[in-house]
Amino acid sequence: MSASVPQPNLPARTRVAVIGGGPAGLLLALILTRAGIECVVLERRSRDYVLSRIRAGVLEQGTTDLLRMAGAGARMDREGLVHDGFDIAWRGDKLHIDLRSLTGGKTVTVYGQTEVTHDLYDALDEAGVPIVHEAENVAPQDVTGDAPFVSFDTAAGSHRLDCDFVAGCDGFHGVCRQTIPADKLETFERVYPFGWLGILVRKPPIQEELIYANHARGFALCSLRSPQLSRYYIQCRADDDIANWPDARFYDELQARLPPAVAGHLQRGESIEKSIAPLRSFVAEPMHYGRMFLAGDAAHIVPPTGAKGLNLAVSDVHYLSTALIAHYNDHDETLLDAYSETALARVWKAERFSWWFTSMIHRFEDDGSFGQRIQEAEFDFLASSTAAQTALAENYVGLPF
Ligand code: RFL
Ligand code: PHB
């Protein structure tokens, strides 16, 4: 732990020990704190590290509503970009998906996960919630008994945090899910045979709205973080290396995959971030074990195509915080008992949508000519059917929770 990172005064006991300081853990801690329920957040990384991660960019209305309700939405309301629709590019053409008209007025907001995390940290600091950074060897203990606790180390020594509940918000590679015995957990997984190579560049975006492109050379996505900051992705080999992708090659490839009318507007600049993300669908059931509840990527992963990962973490937090508040305020266990089932019902719908959108917009080398024709039929149907566009729009803006 660096000396420059002040650590909070740690209580020996709290009500909810939140493991993981990503969006799920931070938002859960904020909502519970606002409801008078004490929490401590334990995060493995430094705050600077967490705030340097570039991840999701599109927020559903349910997500923006919850951030506002938690008192962390003011900057998002000032700086977030409301998008009424997006484009799908196919055979050199664009199909516009008009989210607002297809969903009776719903939209999405482009506001980076990095900014959401920043705002949550600010709100938690103001509320005086202890967040321990660079917590090592974090381990939930005795979660099936009446007196769970979390053990962990910091530079100051070893600690024990007693609690009523553990919230496992520690992401896909976290410790919480892994402490659940194998015979108590069922997992479902699909790994896709490609990755996304993404760059962030300080240049105005190619167009105002997002464009998802299916091209014979592979998928491409033009997204943004602000009117001056663009986020671009291209489908790449799953085992590719960013060393193979100097900026010029990336831009050439991106341009080749976009309709000519759009490609001409690309403004190239030096990338300020470049990374490859694997694509995976994953669900762990159930989302609890004794007094430990999983939320967000700790329990499920979606490929980024539908922009659902962060939004799903937020809907889990909605269900879990509501259930914990009912437990403490009304001594009502019904929602906690039903948490896993309630959250999973929405998770699986987002899994289905993310899988479907991934399947229709990428090139699958192994699918052969049959797979190719099915994709073509899918696009023709989407272009000609308002019902198909409505189904896409309804899922993209986010199913209710
Ligand atoms: P996070 O954000 O992974 O946060 C988990 C936190 O837990 C910490 N942690 C631990 N803390 C204590 N002890 C341990 N043993 C710990 N192990 C881990 C981690 O340091 C971290 O701070 O999960 P959360 O909160 O559930 O939020 C989920 C979202 O972050 C995630 O769904 C999305 O970012 C997914 N995702 C994307 N989603 C999109 O919708 N669009 C995207 O473009 C997009 N790009 C991405 C992504 C996820 C990525 N990951 C996880 C590798 C790009 C990447 C690279
Ligand atoms: C992003 O801006 O990073 C982004 C946008 C839409 C997606 C995935 C990622 O579907």
Side-chain angles (χ1 to χ4, degrees):
M1 182 174 53
S2 62
S4 61
V5 184
Q7 296 290 322
N9 286 330
L10 268 181
R13 169 163 192 93
T14 192
R15 285 177 155 183
V16 182
V18 178
I19 302 184
L26 298 176
L27 181 58
L28 179 67
L30 185 61
I31 294 174
L32 294 180
T33 301
R34 302 275 193 233
I37 299 165
E38 289 157 26
C39 313
V40 172
V41 180
L42 304 172
E43 164 58 48
R44 187 174 54 153
R45 304 286 193 174
S46 70
R47 183 176 292 214
D48 286 348
Y49 182 95
V50 172
L51 287 174
S52 67
R53 291 192 294 223
I54 309 293
R55 289 186 177 172
V58 177
L59 307 183
E60 296 171 359
Q61 210 153 300
T63 299
T64 52
D65 287 347
L66 201 60
L67 286 166
R68 256 178 232 124
M69 256 176 47
R75 193 164 67 99
M76 174 188 75
D77 282 334
R78 282 196 310 275
E79 297 176 15
L81 304 169
V82 174
H83 278 205
D84 291 350
F86 65 88
D87 283 329
I88 293 188
W90 165 247
R91 284 193 202 130
D93 246 346
K94 285 199 304 186
L95 170 68
H96 187 244
I97 303 296
D98 188 335
L99 296 172
R100 195 188 277 277
S101 72
L102 288 163
T103 62
K106 293 204 176 122
T107 56
V108 292
T109 300
V110 171
Y111 189 65
Q113 178 169 334
T114 316
E115 307 312 316
V116 171
T117 310
H118 213 292
D119 297 344
L120 288 169
Y121 271 137
D122 286 351
L124 287 163
D125 287 347
E126 209 180 301
V129 179
I131 307 175
V132 181
H133 283 99
E134 296 173 60
E136 289 173 19
N137 305 318
V138 175
Q141 315 261 7
D142 292 353
V143 297
T144 51
D146 288 339
F149 66 98
V150 180
S151 57
F152 62 99
D153 299 330
T154 65
S158 295
H159 307 266
R160 170 184 170 128
L161 178 64
D162 289 291
C163 55
D164 300 336
F165 297 102
V166 175
C169 303
D170 51 350
F172 184 64
H173 299 287
V175 65
C176 292
R177 190 183 70 250
Q178 287 168 32
T179 62
I180 303 176
D183 64 340
K184 301 284 185 226
L185 201 69
E186 191 171 2
T187 59
F188 305 81
E189 184 167 39
R190 170 155 302 182
V191 176
Y192 300 86
F194 41 73
W196 276 21
L197 170 62
I199 67 162
L200 189 68
V201 55
R202 218 172 284 291
K203 284 283 178 191
I206 196 162
Q207 62 171 43
E208 234 170 76
E209 292 187 337
L210 273 69
I211 176 163
Y212 293 83
N214 179 320
H215 190 274
R217 301 177 70 93
F219 163 81
L221 168 61
C222 302
S223 181
L224 65 152
R225 288 291 176 275
S226 76
Q228 300 305 326
L229 200 56
S230 302
R231 181 78 166 145
Y232 296 124
Y233 297 97
I234 54 173
Q235 176 181 348
C236 65
R237 288 201 331 269
D239 62 351
D240 219 328
D241 185 338
I242 54 168
N244 296 329
W245 290 95
D247 289 352
R249 182 178 173 215
F250 179 93
Y251 287 123
D252 289 347
E253 193 56 46
L254 176 64
Q255 266 180 316
R257 297 180 186 191
L258 297 173
V262 182
H265 296 293
L266 181 69
Q267 293 195 36
R268 298 178 177 217
E270 192 183 333
S271 62
I272 50 179
E273 197 264 357
K274 189 183 284 171
S275 52
I276 292 178
L279 266 69
R280 178 197 305 273
S281 299
F282 174 88
V283 181
E285 293 185 357
M287 285 172 59
H288 80 110
Y289 179 56
R291 289 175 161 261
M292 179 170 73
F293 293 87
L294 303 179
D297 279 16
H300 42 73
I301 292 286
V302 285
T305 323
K308 291 284 158 254
L310 169 60
N311 293 296
L312 263 191
V314 169
S315 61
D316 287 353
V317 165
H318 163 74
Y319 295 128
L320 184 53
S321 58
T322 308
L324 286 167
I325 292 168
H327 164 86
Y328 283 110
N329 289 0
D330 308 327
H331 309 288
D332 181 353
E333 306 306 307
T334 329
L335 294 178
L336 263 188
D337 291 343
Y339 167 70
S340 177
E341 204 182 321
T342 313
L344 282 167
R346 190 171 189 279
V347 165
W348 274 111
K349 289 183 202 122
E351 290 283 345
R352 185 208 67 81
F353 172 67
S354 304
W355 160 82
W356 171 81
F357 200 17
T358 300
S359 308
M360 72 105 69
I361 203 93
H362 291 79
R363 288 294 162 138
F364 289 74
E365 278 175 13
D366 294 341
D367 275 8
S369 54
F370 181 82
Q372 182 59 33
R373 286 287 191 274
I374 292 289
Q375 252 191 10
E376 286 167 16
E378 188 83 68
F379 274 96
D380 285 345
F381 180 55
L382 186 65
S384 64
S385 162
T386 307
Q389 289 179 27
T390 304
L392 167 55
E394 203 175 331
N395 281 279
Y396 195 85
V397 299
L399 299 176
F401 54 80

PDB file of all heavy atoms in Angstrom, residues 54-58 110 112 196 210 212 219 221-225 230-233 303-308 357 396, ligand 2:
ATOM      1  N   ILE A  54     -10.763   1.791 -18.314  1.00  0.00           N
ATOM      2  CA  ILE A  54     -11.738   2.238 -19.323  1.00  0.00           C
ATOM      3  C   ILE A  54     -12.641   1.056 -19.630  1.00  0.00           C
ATOM      4  O   ILE A  54     -12.181   0.033 -20.128  1.00  0.00           O
ATOM      5  CB  ILE A  54     -11.037   2.685 -20.627  1.00  0.00           C
ATOM      6  CG1 ILE A  54      -9.935   3.687 -20.354  1.00  0.00           C
ATOM      7  CG2 ILE A  54     -12.049   3.225 -21.633  1.00  0.00           C
ATOM      8  CD1 ILE A  54     -10.389   5.017 -19.849  1.00  0.00           C
ATOM      9  N   ARG A  55     -13.898   1.181 -19.340  1.00  0.00           N
ATOM     10  CA  ARG A  55     -14.820   0.064 -19.607  1.00  0.00           C
ATOM     11  C   ARG A  55     -16.083   0.571 -20.281  1.00  0.00           C
ATOM     12  O   ARG A  55     -16.014   1.192 -21.314  1.00  0.00           O
ATOM     13  CB  ARG A  55     -15.106  -0.696 -18.319  1.00  0.00           C
ATOM     14  CG  ARG A  55     -13.879  -1.485 -17.860  1.00  0.00           C
ATOM     15  CD  ARG A  55     -14.204  -2.324 -16.691  1.00  0.00           C
ATOM     16  NE  ARG A  55     -13.105  -3.157 -16.245  1.00  0.00           N
ATOM     17  CZ  ARG A  55     -13.156  -3.855 -15.136  1.00  0.00           C
ATOM     18  NH1 ARG A  55     -14.225  -3.795 -14.371  1.00  0.00           N
ATOM     19  NH2 ARG A  55     -12.134  -4.608 -14.784  1.00  0.00           N
ATOM     20  N   ALA A  56     -17.223   0.294 -19.671  1.00  0.00           N
ATOM     21  CA  ALA A  56     -18.491   0.531 -20.372  1.00  0.00           C
ATOM     22  C   ALA A  56     -18.761   2.013 -20.628  1.00  0.00           C
ATOM     23  O   ALA A  56     -18.159   2.887 -19.990  1.00  0.00           O
ATOM     24  CB  ALA A  56     -19.614  -0.068 -19.543  1.00  0.00           C
ATOM     25  N   GLY A  57     -19.684   2.265 -21.557  1.00  0.00           N
ATOM     26  CA  GLY A  57     -19.974   3.653 -21.907  1.00  0.00           C
ATOM     27  C   GLY A  57     -21.439   4.001 -22.061  1.00  0.00           C
ATOM     28  O   GLY A  57     -21.773   5.178 -22.189  1.00  0.00           O
ATOM     29  N   VAL A  58     -22.325   3.004 -22.059  1.00  0.00           N
ATOM     30  CA  VAL A  58     -23.739   3.289 -22.344  1.00  0.00           C
ATOM     31  C   VAL A  58     -24.605   2.913 -21.138  1.00  0.00           C
ATOM     32  O   VAL A  58     -24.588   1.765 -20.700  1.00  0.00           O
ATOM     33  CB  VAL A  58     -24.211   2.493 -23.586  1.00  0.00           C
ATOM     34  CG1 VAL A  58     -25.689   2.733 -23.851  1.00  0.00           C
ATOM     35  CG2 VAL A  58     -23.390   2.866 -24.813  1.00  0.00           C
ATOM     36  N   VAL A 110     -24.880   8.225 -22.816  1.00  0.00           N
ATOM     37  CA  VAL A 110     -23.462   7.915 -22.988  1.00  0.00           C
ATOM     38  C   VAL A 110     -22.684   8.664 -21.901  1.00  0.00           C
ATOM     39  O   VAL A 110     -22.664   9.900 -21.878  1.00  0.00           O
ATOM     40  CB  VAL A 110     -22.990   8.312 -24.403  1.00  0.00           C
ATOM     41  CG1 VAL A 110     -21.477   8.205 -24.512  1.00  0.00           C
ATOM     42  CG2 VAL A 110     -23.681   7.429 -25.448  1.00  0.00           C
ATOM     43  N   GLY A 112     -19.236   7.515 -19.348  1.00  0.00           N
ATOM     44  CA  GLY A 112     -18.307   6.408 -19.121  1.00  0.00           C
ATOM     45  C   GLY A 112     -18.383   5.818 -17.714  1.00  0.00           C
ATOM     46  O   GLY A 112     -18.665   6.524 -16.743  1.00  0.00           O
ATOM     47  N   TRP A 196     -12.406  -8.111 -28.719  1.00  0.00           N
ATOM     48  CA  TRP A 196     -12.577  -6.725 -29.168  1.00  0.00           C
ATOM     49  C   TRP A 196     -11.280  -5.979 -28.868  1.00  0.00           C
ATOM     50  O   TRP A 196     -10.826  -5.951 -27.715  1.00  0.00           O
ATOM     51  CB  TRP A 196     -13.688  -6.037 -28.396  1.00  0.00           C
ATOM     52  CG  TRP A 196     -15.074  -6.260 -28.892  1.00  0.00           C
ATOM     53  CD1 TRP A 196     -15.524  -7.276 -29.674  1.00  0.00           C
ATOM     54  CD2 TRP A 196     -16.211  -5.433 -28.591  1.00  0.00           C
ATOM     55  NE1 TRP A 196     -16.878  -7.135 -29.879  1.00  0.00           N
ATOM     56  CE2 TRP A 196     -17.321  -6.023 -29.233  1.00  0.00           C
ATOM     57  CE3 TRP A 196     -16.396  -4.272 -27.851  1.00  0.00           C
ATOM     58  CZ2 TRP A 196     -18.600  -5.466 -29.144  1.00  0.00           C
ATOM     59  CZ3 TRP A 196     -17.666  -3.731 -27.759  1.00  0.00           C
ATOM     60  CH2 TRP A 196     -18.752  -4.316 -28.410  1.00  0.00           C
ATOM     61  N   LEU A 210     -23.944   6.080 -31.900  1.00  0.00           N
ATOM     62  CA  LEU A 210     -23.100   4.882 -32.056  1.00  0.00           C
ATOM     63  C   LEU A 210     -23.413   4.181 -33.370  1.00  0.00           C
ATOM     64  O   LEU A 210     -24.539   4.243 -33.859  1.00  0.00           O
ATOM     65  CB  LEU A 210     -23.372   3.891 -30.915  1.00  0.00           C
ATOM     66  CG  LEU A 210     -22.551   4.096 -29.637  1.00  0.00           C
ATOM     67  CD1 LEU A 210     -22.965   5.354 -28.925  1.00  0.00           C
ATOM     68  CD2 LEU A 210     -22.697   2.891 -28.710  1.00  0.00           C
ATOM     69  N   TYR A 212     -22.819   0.298 -34.997  1.00  0.00           N
ATOM     70  CA  TYR A 212     -22.365  -1.093 -34.906  1.00  0.00           C
ATOM     71  C   TYR A 212     -22.328  -1.631 -36.330  1.00  0.00           C
ATOM     72  O   TYR A 212     -23.349  -1.586 -37.026  1.00  0.00           O
ATOM     73  CB  TYR A 212     -23.354  -1.954 -34.110  1.00  0.00           C
ATOM     74  CG  TYR A 212     -23.488  -1.636 -32.633  1.00  0.00           C
ATOM     75  CD1 TYR A 212     -24.316  -0.605 -32.186  1.00  0.00           C
ATOM     76  CD2 TYR A 212     -22.826  -2.398 -31.676  1.00  0.00           C
ATOM     77  CE1 TYR A 212     -24.458  -0.338 -30.833  1.00  0.00           C
ATOM     78  CE2 TYR A 212     -22.976  -2.137 -30.309  1.00  0.00           C
ATOM     79  CZ  TYR A 212     -23.790  -1.104 -29.904  1.00  0.00           C
ATOM     80  OH  TYR A 212     -23.943  -0.847 -28.559  1.00  0.00           O
ATOM     81  N   PHE A 219     -16.490  -7.356 -37.253  1.00  0.00           N
ATOM     82  CA  PHE A 219     -17.316  -6.337 -36.584  1.00  0.00           C
ATOM     83  C   PHE A 219     -16.506  -5.065 -36.293  1.00  0.00           C
ATOM     84  O   PHE A 219     -15.299  -5.112 -36.090  1.00  0.00           O
ATOM     85  CB  PHE A 219     -17.810  -6.959 -35.271  1.00  0.00           C
ATOM     86  CG  PHE A 219     -18.331  -5.994 -34.255  1.00  0.00           C
ATOM     87  CD1 PHE A 219     -19.616  -5.506 -34.360  1.00  0.00           C
ATOM     88  CD2 PHE A 219     -17.542  -5.586 -33.187  1.00  0.00           C
ATOM     89  CE1 PHE A 219     -20.130  -4.625 -33.410  1.00  0.00           C
ATOM     90  CE2 PHE A 219     -18.033  -4.702 -32.233  1.00  0.00           C
ATOM     91  CZ  PHE A 219     -19.327  -4.230 -32.352  1.00  0.00           C
ATOM     92  N   LEU A 221     -17.214  -1.123 -34.053  1.00  0.00           N
ATOM     93  CA  LEU A 221     -18.125  -0.260 -33.289  1.00  0.00           C
ATOM     94  C   LEU A 221     -17.486   1.108 -33.109  1.00  0.00           C
ATOM     95  O   LEU A 221     -16.334   1.218 -32.695  1.00  0.00           O
ATOM     96  CB  LEU A 221     -18.404  -0.879 -31.908  1.00  0.00           C
ATOM     97  CG  LEU A 221     -19.095   0.009 -30.860  1.00  0.00           C
ATOM     98  CD1 LEU A 221     -20.470   0.471 -31.322  1.00  0.00           C
ATOM     99  CD2 LEU A 221     -19.226  -0.737 -29.532  1.00  0.00           C
ATOM    100  N   CYS A 222     -18.253   2.140 -33.457  1.00  0.00           N
ATOM    101  CA  CYS A 222     -17.804   3.510 -33.195  1.00  0.00           C
ATOM    102  C   CYS A 222     -18.636   4.035 -32.043  1.00  0.00           C
ATOM    103  O   CYS A 222     -19.858   4.172 -32.161  1.00  0.00           O
ATOM    104  CB  CYS A 222     -18.019   4.395 -34.413  1.00  0.00           C
ATOM    105  SG  CYS A 222     -17.165   3.798 -35.873  1.00  0.00           S
ATOM    106  N   SER A 223     -17.982   4.319 -30.937  1.00  0.00           N
ATOM    107  CA  SER A 223     -18.670   4.860 -29.771  1.00  0.00           C
ATOM    108  C   SER A 223     -17.931   6.126 -29.326  1.00  0.00           C
ATOM    109  O   SER A 223     -17.048   6.630 -30.045  1.00  0.00           O
ATOM    110  CB  SER A 223     -18.715   3.802 -28.664  1.00  0.00           C
ATOM    111  OG  SER A 223     -19.393   4.277 -27.533  1.00  0.00           O
ATOM    112  N   LEU A 224     -18.283   6.636 -28.199  1.00  0.00           N
ATOM    113  CA  LEU A 224     -17.688   7.891 -27.743  1.00  0.00           C
ATOM    114  C   LEU A 224     -17.823   8.019 -26.241  1.00  0.00           C
ATOM    115  O   LEU A 224     -18.574   7.262 -25.610  1.00  0.00           O
ATOM    116  CB  LEU A 224     -18.388   9.067 -28.433  1.00  0.00           C
ATOM    117  CG  LEU A 224     -19.866   9.260 -28.091  1.00  0.00           C
ATOM    118  CD1 LEU A 224     -20.255  10.721 -28.242  1.00  0.00           C
ATOM    119  CD2 LEU A 224     -20.732   8.404 -28.994  1.00  0.00           C
ATOM    120  N   ARG A 225     -17.089   8.949 -25.689  1.00  0.00           N
ATOM    121  CA  ARG A 225     -17.242   9.286 -24.282  1.00  0.00           C
ATOM    122  C   ARG A 225     -17.720  10.725 -24.113  1.00  0.00           C
ATOM    123  O   ARG A 225     -18.308  11.079 -23.113  1.00  0.00           O
ATOM    124  CB  ARG A 225     -15.902   9.109 -23.549  1.00  0.00           C
ATOM    125  CG  ARG A 225     -15.493   7.650 -23.369  1.00  0.00           C
ATOM    126  CD  ARG A 225     -16.420   6.938 -22.376  1.00  0.00           C
ATOM    127  NE  ARG A 225     -16.104   5.515 -22.260  1.00  0.00           N
ATOM    128  CZ  ARG A 225     -16.565   4.581 -23.072  1.00  0.00           C
ATOM    129  NH1 ARG A 225     -17.393   4.907 -24.053  1.00  0.00           N
ATOM    130  NH2 ARG A 225     -16.247   3.322 -22.921  1.00  0.00           N
ATOM    131  N   SER A 230     -13.352   9.825 -28.460  1.00  0.00           N
ATOM    132  CA  SER A 230     -13.974   8.720 -29.193  1.00  0.00           C
ATOM    133  C   SER A 230     -13.479   7.381 -28.665  1.00  0.00           C
ATOM    134  O   SER A 230     -12.335   7.256 -28.218  1.00  0.00           O
ATOM    135  CB  SER A 230     -13.631   8.812 -30.680  1.00  0.00           C
ATOM    136  OG  SER A 230     -14.062  10.036 -31.192  1.00  0.00           O
ATOM    137  N   ARG A 231     -14.363   6.389 -28.744  1.00  0.00           N
ATOM    138  CA  ARG A 231     -14.024   5.021 -28.342  1.00  0.00           C
ATOM    139  C   ARG A 231     -14.378   4.121 -29.529  1.00  0.00           C
ATOM    140  O   ARG A 231     -15.539   4.069 -29.952  1.00  0.00           O
ATOM    141  CB  ARG A 231     -14.855   4.641 -27.113  1.00  0.00           C
ATOM    142  CG  ARG A 231     -14.589   3.238 -26.580  1.00  0.00           C
ATOM    143  CD  ARG A 231     -13.327   3.176 -25.783  1.00  0.00           C
ATOM    144  NE  ARG A 231     -13.193   1.945 -24.993  1.00  0.00           N
ATOM    145  CZ  ARG A 231     -12.019   1.343 -24.774  1.00  0.00           C
ATOM    146  NH1 ARG A 231     -10.908   1.833 -25.271  1.00  0.00           N
ATOM    147  NH2 ARG A 231     -11.964   0.261 -24.037  1.00  0.00           N
ATOM    148  N   TYR A 232     -13.366   3.459 -30.097  1.00  0.00           N
ATOM    149  CA  TYR A 232     -13.582   2.614 -31.267  1.00  0.00           C
ATOM    150  C   TYR A 232     -13.161   1.180 -30.958  1.00  0.00           C
ATOM    151  O   TYR A 232     -12.186   0.956 -30.230  1.00  0.00           O
ATOM    152  CB  TYR A 232     -12.756   3.135 -32.456  1.00  0.00           C
ATOM    153  CG  TYR A 232     -13.168   4.513 -32.923  1.00  0.00           C
ATOM    154  CD1 TYR A 232     -12.245   5.567 -32.996  1.00  0.00           C
ATOM    155  CD2 TYR A 232     -14.482   4.771 -33.294  1.00  0.00           C
ATOM    156  CE1 TYR A 232     -12.623   6.838 -33.417  1.00  0.00           C
ATOM    157  CE2 TYR A 232     -14.870   6.046 -33.719  1.00  0.00           C
ATOM    158  CZ  TYR A 232     -13.936   7.068 -33.772  1.00  0.00           C
ATOM    159  OH  TYR A 232     -14.325   8.314 -34.185  1.00  0.00           O
ATOM    160  N   TYR A 233     -13.891   0.240 -31.554  1.00  0.00           N
ATOM    161  CA  TYR A 233     -13.567  -1.180 -31.369  1.00  0.00           C
ATOM    162  C   TYR A 233     -13.587  -1.894 -32.717  1.00  0.00           C
ATOM    163  O   TYR A 233     -14.406  -1.560 -33.585  1.00  0.00           O
ATOM    164  CB  TYR A 233     -14.620  -1.880 -30.504  1.00  0.00           C
ATOM    165  CG  TYR A 233     -14.760  -1.385 -29.085  1.00  0.00           C
ATOM    166  CD1 TYR A 233     -15.751  -0.454 -28.749  1.00  0.00           C
ATOM    167  CD2 TYR A 233     -13.956  -1.869 -28.071  1.00  0.00           C
ATOM    168  CE1 TYR A 233     -15.920  -0.024 -27.435  1.00  0.00           C
ATOM    169  CE2 TYR A 233     -14.116  -1.443 -26.749  1.00  0.00           C
ATOM    170  CZ  TYR A 233     -15.101  -0.520 -26.445  1.00  0.00           C
ATOM    171  OH  TYR A 233     -15.271  -0.098 -25.144  1.00  0.00           O
ATOM    172  N   PRO A 303     -21.013 -10.592 -23.201  1.00  0.00           N
ATOM    173  CA  PRO A 303     -20.136  -9.928 -24.173  1.00  0.00           C
ATOM    174  C   PRO A 303     -20.575  -8.476 -24.291  1.00  0.00           C
ATOM    175  O   PRO A 303     -21.766  -8.184 -24.095  1.00  0.00           O
ATOM    176  CB  PRO A 303     -20.397 -10.715 -25.465  1.00  0.00           C
ATOM    177  CG  PRO A 303     -21.719 -11.383 -25.276  1.00  0.00           C
ATOM    178  CD  PRO A 303     -21.874 -11.605 -23.798  1.00  0.00           C
ATOM    179  N   PRO A 304     -19.667  -7.547 -24.571  1.00  0.00           N
ATOM    180  CA  PRO A 304     -20.014  -6.124 -24.480  1.00  0.00           C
ATOM    181  C   PRO A 304     -20.961  -5.614 -25.570  1.00  0.00           C
ATOM    182  O   PRO A 304     -21.417  -4.468 -25.505  1.00  0.00           O
ATOM    183  CB  PRO A 304     -18.653  -5.418 -24.594  1.00  0.00           C
ATOM    184  CG  PRO A 304     -17.756  -6.400 -25.265  1.00  0.00           C
ATOM    185  CD  PRO A 304     -18.249  -7.755 -24.883  1.00  0.00           C
ATOM    186  N   THR A 305     -21.288  -6.448 -26.544  1.00  0.00           N
ATOM    187  CA  THR A 305     -22.054  -5.992 -27.708  1.00  0.00           C
ATOM    188  C   THR A 305     -23.340  -5.249 -27.343  1.00  0.00           C
ATOM    189  O   THR A 305     -23.669  -4.249 -27.974  1.00  0.00           O
ATOM    190  CB  THR A 305     -22.399  -7.202 -28.604  1.00  0.00           C
ATOM    191  OG1 THR A 305     -21.293  -8.100 -28.599  1.00  0.00           O
ATOM    192  CG2 THR A 305     -22.703  -6.756 -30.009  1.00  0.00           C
ATOM    193  N   GLY A 306     -24.063  -5.714 -26.351  1.00  0.00           N
ATOM    194  CA  GLY A 306     -25.323  -5.053 -26.014  1.00  0.00           C
ATOM    195  C   GLY A 306     -25.166  -3.958 -24.983  1.00  0.00           C
ATOM    196  O   GLY A 306     -26.151  -3.347 -24.577  1.00  0.00           O
ATOM    197  N   ALA A 307     -23.937  -3.676 -24.543  1.00  0.00           N
ATOM    198  CA  ALA A 307     -23.654  -2.659 -23.513  1.00  0.00           C
ATOM    199  C   ALA A 307     -24.417  -2.958 -22.216  1.00  0.00           C
ATOM    200  O   ALA A 307     -24.982  -2.068 -21.591  1.00  0.00           O
ATOM    201  CB  ALA A 307     -23.977  -1.256 -24.032  1.00  0.00           C
ATOM    202  N   LYS A 308     -24.440  -4.222 -21.830  1.00  0.00           N
ATOM    203  CA  LYS A 308     -25.284  -4.618 -20.693  1.00  0.00           C
ATOM    204  C   LYS A 308     -24.526  -4.852 -19.379  1.00  0.00           C
ATOM    205  O   LYS A 308     -25.144  -4.910 -18.319  1.00  0.00           O
ATOM    206  CB  LYS A 308     -26.037  -5.917 -21.037  1.00  0.00           C
ATOM    207  CG  LYS A 308     -27.090  -5.744 -22.100  1.00  0.00           C
ATOM    208  CD  LYS A 308     -28.332  -5.063 -21.548  1.00  0.00           C
ATOM    209  CE  LYS A 308     -29.165  -4.397 -22.611  1.00  0.00           C
ATOM    210  NZ  LYS A 308     -29.106  -2.952 -22.647  1.00  0.00           N
ATOM    211  N   PHE A 357     -27.244 -10.354 -30.097  1.00  0.00           N
ATOM    212  CA  PHE A 357     -26.658  -9.211 -30.802  1.00  0.00           C
ATOM    213  C   PHE A 357     -25.218  -9.550 -31.226  1.00  0.00           C
ATOM    214  O   PHE A 357     -24.780  -9.208 -32.319  1.00  0.00           O
ATOM    215  CB  PHE A 357     -26.717  -7.977 -29.899  1.00  0.00           C
ATOM    216  CG  PHE A 357     -26.596  -6.663 -30.636  1.00  0.00           C
ATOM    217  CD1 PHE A 357     -26.786  -6.568 -32.005  1.00  0.00           C
ATOM    218  CD2 PHE A 357     -26.302  -5.495 -29.927  1.00  0.00           C
ATOM    219  CE1 PHE A 357     -26.671  -5.343 -32.677  1.00  0.00           C
ATOM    220  CE2 PHE A 357     -26.188  -4.273 -30.576  1.00  0.00           C
ATOM    221  CZ  PHE A 357     -26.376  -4.203 -31.952  1.00  0.00           C
ATOM    222  N   TYR A 396     -32.249  -2.955 -25.800  1.00  0.00           N
ATOM    223  CA  TYR A 396     -31.089  -2.068 -25.754  1.00  0.00           C
ATOM    224  C   TYR A 396     -31.272  -0.977 -24.682  1.00  0.00           C
ATOM    225  O   TYR A 396     -30.330  -0.655 -23.959  1.00  0.00           O
ATOM    226  CB  TYR A 396     -30.840  -1.442 -27.133  1.00  0.00           C
ATOM    227  CG  TYR A 396     -29.480  -0.807 -27.263  1.00  0.00           C
ATOM    228  CD1 TYR A 396     -28.358  -1.564 -27.609  1.00  0.00           C
ATOM    229  CD2 TYR A 396     -29.292   0.554 -27.012  1.00  0.00           C
ATOM    230  CE1 TYR A 396     -27.104  -0.994 -27.704  1.00  0.00           C
ATOM    231  CE2 TYR A 396     -28.035   1.136 -27.115  1.00  0.00           C
ATOM    232  CZ  TYR A 396     -26.949   0.367 -27.461  1.00  0.00           C
ATOM    233  OH  TYR A 396     -25.704   0.937 -27.554  1.00  0.00           O
TER     234      TYR A 396
HETATM  235  C1  PHB B   2     -18.331   1.735 -25.248  1.00  0.00           C
HETATM  236  O1  PHB B   2     -18.531   2.932 -25.521  1.00  0.00           O
HETATM  237  O2  PHB B   2     -17.319   1.352 -24.657  1.00  0.00           O
HETATM  238  C2  PHB B   2     -19.329   0.732 -25.684  1.00  0.00           C
HETATM  239  C3  PHB B   2     -20.517   1.150 -26.239  1.00  0.00           C
HETATM  240  C4  PHB B   2     -21.443   0.215 -26.655  1.00  0.00           C
HETATM  241  C5  PHB B   2     -21.176  -1.121 -26.490  1.00  0.00           C
HETATM  242  C6  PHB B   2     -19.983  -1.539 -25.921  1.00  0.00           C
HETATM  243  C7  PHB B   2     -19.040  -0.605 -25.511  1.00  0.00           C
HETATM  244  O3  PHB B   2     -22.076  -2.045 -26.912  1.00  0.00           O
END
